[in-house]
Each structure stands twice: as structure tokens, then as C-alpha cells.
Amino acid sequence: MSEKRAAERRPVTIVTGGGRGIGAATALYLARAGHDVAICFRRDADSARQVVDDAARLGAASCAVRADVTREADVDRLFARAQDELGAVTGLVNNAGATGMIADLVDTPVATLRGVIELNLVGTLLCCRRAAHAMSTRHGGGGGAIVNVSSSAATLGSPHQYVHYAAAKAGVDTLTVGLAQELAAEGIRVNAVAPGMVRTRIHADAGDASRIVRLAPTVPLGRPGEPEEIAPAIGWLLSAEASYATGAILRVAGGR
């Protein structure tokens, strides 16, 4: 990192699942807001590199790091790369997630259940744990903020769709509330954003690309959300404007 950028003391935020969808929109929103961003991706290197290029055009330093957030060693490497290339980490957006297949619980393979819980809940736990080490004043850090991306499914339950995913996101909500209290005295705020139906590839990845169109009438606002409508909520919770907000779960779900 250059001496000039170090002197600017820009926020450095890690965004998991940052190569596409809500993660990509959030990374670019943060770049516009003056953050340098580390883009964590697992498979789609081309999309992650595109976000890095777009962030650079917005004046942000950025790096793309291939990492599996369910693996402790990968999470450690992600934070190390972010610090080495961008500076001390001040923020984390836990966005990496997937629903797995759409089916009743009884018809969902155990391997799918485990994979969804590992990615959405265990991955978030591991990243939060590492962020606490990096940012906590008790551990020598300068403080910071964590935003977990939950889902409206956490309270709706998503029957006949993916109750396993809903259960994982409910765990994320509980983690957010408890960890916010645990880290409040150590300079770290912890909040969550709970999107509803958003126009991303998560539906196609689950095997039902038409789901978002079919279920749009069930949303009070009458349409799915766009990733760019979720990103500002995440950005606000990371910002100094939200300095008194911790343990909050901000629903951005079109009224559902």
C-alpha cells in the first residue's frame, strides 16, 4: 500500500461473495463511498476481477481473493491478503451464501443441508471470528464494523422451498444480536441486513430461474428488489452515520 493511501486512512472492507449480485453491488457502492475493498470469491474469478476493475475506475484500491469461507485457513488467508494489499481491515460484509435446492426438507439430501448450513452460518461465524481478531481494540485493532447479510426467510421460514436455508439465516440473526453485545466494548459494531427476493443468480443456482418472476406478486411492492437497492443499507450500517446502531437487523424486502 502506498504512503499516500496510508495517509488517507481509507476504510478497508472485505466483501465475501463479492463477485456478483448483492456482493458486487455492495463492493462498488463502498468504492464510491471511499472504501478500499477486498473481493472474496470461490469460483467465478472473471466476475471478481471485473468488480476489481470497476472499483479501480471509481478510485478505490481493490483485490480479489479466492477463498472458501467454510475453511478456517482460507479465511485467515483472506484477511492476511486484504491487510497486506490494502491496509488494516476496518469492515466485513458477510455476503457469501446459497439456498441449495428448492424442495421440502424431507426431499433434500443431507449433503445439501450440510453444505447450506456450512456456507451460510459456519462461514459467517468463521469470518466474524477472524474479523474480531483483526479489528477488536482488545486484540490491538482500531475497531470497525461487521454487516451480515441475512434474509427475510429467517422469519418467514420458507416452507416447501428451503427451510434449511431459512434456519441458517435465523442463526445469522441470532449471531448478529449476540456478537453485537459481545464486541460492543471492543470497538466493533455488528448488524445485519435481511433482503427479500432480489434479482440475482441465486434462484437459477437453486434450479428455478423463473421463481423470481412467479413469486413477485407476493411482494407488497409488487416486484423483486435489485442488488443496488440492498447495497446502500449495507453501506449505511458500515458508515459513521450508523455509529449508534449495533445488534440491528434491517429488513429490505419490499414489505414482506
Side-chain angles (χ1 to χ4, degrees):
M1 183 175 63
S2 70
E3 292 182 5
K4 179 181 178 181
R5 295 194 78 83
E8 290 175 351
R9 305 174 72 90
R10 292 167 61 90
V12 173
T13 301
I14 293 172
V15 182
T16 70
R20 64 187 200 187
I22 292 171
T26 298
L28 296 181
Y29 180 93
L30 294 175
R32 292 187 192 95
H35 292 236
D36 293 334
V37 289
I39 307 303
C40 170
F41 70 98
R42 186 166 58 171
R43 294 193 184 95
D44 193 344
D46 290 341
S47 293
R49 281 194 290 266
Q50 184 62 58
V51 175
V52 167
D53 291 345
D54 291 344
R57 283 191 282 274
L58 294 169
S62 184
C63 63
V65 184
R66 186 188 298 272
D68 181 344
V69 297
T70 70
R71 298 178 180 272
E72 182 182 1
D74 279 22
V75 172
D76 288 343
R77 181 168 51 79
L78 167 64
F79 276 77
R81 279 277 307 278
Q83 179 167 319
D84 288 347
E85 298 192 25
L86 304 176
V89 175
T90 61
L92 167 67
V93 179
N94 279 309
N95 171 71
T99 63
M101 66 186 290
I102 296 174
D104 283 3
L105 181 65
V106 70
D107 299 318
T108 305
V110 171
T112 299
L113 301 180
R114 292 186 184 278
V116 168
I117 298 296
E118 284 280 323
L119 176 57
N120 292 281
L121 181 54
V122 176
T124 298
L125 283 161
L126 291 178
C127 288
C128 283
R129 182 175 181 274
R130 186 63 183 81
H133 278 286
M135 298 189 294
S136 164
T137 54
R138 182 164 68 92
H139 292 280
I146 296 170
V147 178
N148 297 320
V149 178
S150 180
S151 171
S152 61
T155 56
L156 297 174
S158 298
H160 306 297
Q161 298 179 71
Y162 31 63
V163 297
H164 52 295
Y165 172 77
K169 290 302 191 181
V172 170
D173 286 357
T174 301
L175 165 66
T176 299
V177 172
L179 192 61
Q181 296 172 63
E182 198 166 281
L183 296 178
E186 300 178 28
I188 301 175
R189 295 182 300 103
V190 185
N191 293 288
V193 169
M197 192 184 312
V198 180
R199 198 184 305 276
T200 72
R201 284 170 49 183
I202 196 170
H203 310 283
D205 289 347
D208 189 0
S210 66
R211 177 178 179 271
I212 193 168
V213 175
R214 190 173 64 255
L215 295 183
T218 68
V219 179
L221 285 183
R223 63 174 179 84
E226 301 294 338
E228 291 76 15
E229 294 179 293
I230 310 302
I234 296 171
W236 180 75
L237 287 171
L238 287 170
S239 75
E241 292 181 341
S243 58
Y244 199 57
T246 197
I249 300 167
L250 177 57
R251 201 178 189 91
V252 188
R256 190 164 186 267

